[in-house]
Amino acid sequence: MLSCLLLALPIAAQQREKYEFMRNLPVYADSLIADFDYPLAWGNSDIKDFGEWKQAARQKVFDCMLTPPPPPANGYDVKVLFEEQRDGYKARKIEIRLSRYYTVPAYVLIPDGKGPFPAVNALHDHGGHLFIGKEKMIRPLACEDSTVIKDADEWVSGYEGQFFGDYLARHGYVVFSADAPMWGERGQKEGAKRSLYDMIAGNMMMYGIDLSAYMTYDDIAGTEYLASMPEVDPERIGCTGWSMGAYRAWMLSALSDHIKAGASVCWMVTADEQMSFKYKRTENGGFANCLPGLRRWLDYPHIASIACPKPMLFINGSQDKLFPVAGVEKAFATMHDTWESQGAGDRIETELWEMPHSCGLRSQARVLDFFDRYLK
């Protein structure tokens, strides 16, 4: 009986007197950071023509994204699974074949009236919560299970009770939102377990592919589908998101010519601040934004700068524990320098609000105003 009780007690981690890793980082993190010189960043690169630099920088990002998913053999092959009328717009659940390997569940909102309309790819967050994806941005349709509807209703409290996608649709935008790999209906058969995310991402690398990159590749393909919809004006497409969705938004803006304006809420920083021991919290998003080897060439704001001279909005919070203010300010300055160098300084807007990691009503209204100016 005693042996059974001992087996049930948690076992303390065995520790050695010497070690090489601490707080999720190597002890030589500062030395790694000191070696960051970003040779392909605009201003550091030997390439002085901005158009040529954008092409080279974008190609380097794609190189680090490893092998893309093969495109579908016969186009996107969209199936409408369910449709319902909402206040001023229709809501559809679709299944779209984004790759020869898989189909992807998504929601689409289409305003009533005569199009074509401006459109937004609404990119959902991470939050360590994988049970829902697209349902974080768009209110679940009536066809969904009650547990999904309840979960989304609880999660939207992080958006102050307002579904961001529905808010945009009520103001005249076609809105598309799809599950990212590992979220919602693209999750694990055994149930959503954040603890297995990194293991699955590592296994994906064994196939020569990158899980975070697949998320971005799918965002690009989803935007191509959005541009092909008869209800959409392909010259007026934007993207937005909060947290991981914000990361996805500036990545998509940098890598897709279909995106004409991007808005990111609470995801911008420099790697030297994010990956250091200077703060109580160290990076633990891990494979959700990890592209092999890319930091040796470009930092986050350098990649976002590939979007220049597109209109871009970045909002971060001074009380956001995920992104040190020093790193946010450095990143903002880097991007402003790039846009200014191209005579487009008025097309980048960076704002540091006194708020935590959140995307409330004020943030959503600010994004809507931004899109109204550039997409309407």
Side-chain angles (χ1 to χ4, degrees):
M1 182 67 177
L2 179 59
S3 61
C4 292
L5 289 172
L6 289 173
L7 287 172
L9 294 173
I11 300 174
Q14 291 178 299
Q15 294 178 300
R16 297 291 295 268
E17 184 178 348
K18 293 186 177 181
Y19 53 86
E20 196 166 323
F21 297 88
M22 179 175 66
R23 289 176 53 196
N24 300 333
L25 300 177
V27 295
Y28 46 86
D30 290 344
S31 296
L32 292 172
I33 289 169
D35 286 341
F36 284 158
D37 57 359
Y38 305 121
L40 195 50
W42 177 245
N44 294 347
S45 172
D46 292 335
I47 303 172
K48 302 307 178 186
D49 179 87
F50 192 71
E52 292 179 10
W53 172 80
K54 284 181 62 168
Q55 184 177 0
R58 182 182 280 186
Q59 187 56 56
K60 178 58 69 176
V61 176
F62 280 127
D63 289 346
C64 292
M65 286 168 62
L66 306 181
T67 308
N74 300 306
Y76 289 123
D77 187 24
V78 177
K79 296 179 181 178
V80 177
L81 304 180
F82 192 83
E83 182 173 294
E84 65 188 30
Q85 182 66 39
R86 295 184 176 176
D87 185 15
Y89 57 99
K90 292 187 293 290
R92 290 177 185 163
K93 181 176 184 178
I94 66 172
E95 186 175 78
I96 177 172
R97 179 164 290 282
L98 292 185
S99 165
R100 180 162 51 84
Y101 292 156
Y102 49 78
T103 58
V104 174
Y107 287 160
V108 181
L109 307 179
I110 303 172
D112 296 339
K114 182 175 175 57
F117 302 98
V120 174
N121 192 340
L123 306 155
H124 70 73
D125 62 67
H126 185 309
H129 186 67
L130 282 63
F131 181 67
I132 55 174
K134 59 191 178 296
E135 301 89 356
K136 294 180 177 184
M137 297 299 282
I138 292 176
R139 179 163 57 86
L141 277 69
C143 62
E144 303 295 359
D145 185 271
S146 60
T147 57
V148 172
I149 295 173
K150 181 176 183 294
D151 196 75
D153 286 341
E154 292 173 352
W155 191 257
V156 80
S157 63
Y159 295 82
E160 290 191 22
Q162 178 170 267
F163 286 96
F164 201 172
D166 292 76
Y167 174 66
L168 293 170
R170 288 196 300 272
H171 287 84
Y173 291 85
V174 171
V175 180
F176 173 88
S177 190
D179 289 335
M182 288 292 291
W183 273 267
E185 295 174 273
R186 303 183 70 187
Q188 304 159 67
K189 178 181 179 180
E190 299 82 3
K193 296 180 180 178
R194 170 64 182 88
S195 60
L196 294 182
Y197 186 96
D198 294 350
M199 185 182 297
I200 290 172
N203 286 340
M204 295 288 273
M205 286 187 177
M206 296 295 286
Y207 296 109
I209 60 179
D210 181 85
L211 184 59
S212 175
Y214 261 45
M215 177 174 67
T216 299
Y217 281 126
D218 287 349
D219 290 342
I220 294 170
T223 305
E224 289 179 353
Y225 163 69
L226 185 59
S228 74
M229 291 179 59
E231 299 92 346
V232 170
D233 180 348
E235 296 303 314
R236 294 190 291 157
I237 298 177
C239 62
T240 191
W242 167 53
S243 194
M244 183 183 77
Y247 163 85
R248 296 167 67 188
W250 57 255
M251 281 287 289
L252 180 58
S253 298
L255 301 179
S256 172
D257 291 332
H258 285 297
I259 296 297
K260 307 304 180 184
S264 295
V265 182
C266 290
W267 211 118
M268 181 46 69
V269 72
T270 54
D272 61 341
E273 300 292 334
Q274 181 194 42
M275 302 298 294
S276 77
F277 284 112
K278 290 191 290 186
Y279 308 97
K280 291 182 179 179
R281 185 190 185 279
T282 52
E283 164 66 15
N284 62 14
F287 286 104
N289 55 276
C290 176
L291 302 177
L294 188 52
R295 264 328 60 73
R296 290 294 167 180
W297 298 95
L298 298 159
D299 200 358
Y300 302 119
H302 304 140
I303 300 165
S305 292
I306 299 171
C308 177
K310 295 177 186 178
M312 295 291 293
L313 170 66
F314 294 86
I315 301 171
N316 270 67
S318 62
Q319 310 305 313
D320 189 337
K321 296 180 180 179
L322 303 185
F323 301 103
V325 170
V328 174
E329 291 177 336
K330 287 181 187 178
F332 284 178
T334 295
M335 293 187 294
H336 274 284
D337 286 346
T338 303
W339 265 258
E340 290 285 353
S341 76
Q342 301 309 303
D346 61 337
R347 299 191 125 213
I348 182 166
E349 302 174 33
T350 59
E351 300 173 2
L352 189 61
W353 294 5
E354 190 173 342
M355 69 176 189
H357 193 69
S358 63
C359 187
L361 303 181
R362 181 186 171 209
S363 297
Q364 294 177 50
R366 178 70 179 87
V367 171
L368 175 64
D369 175 71
F370 175 79
F371 283 150
D372 282 350
R373 280 190 288 125
Y374 288 107
L375 300 179
K376 282 191 175 180

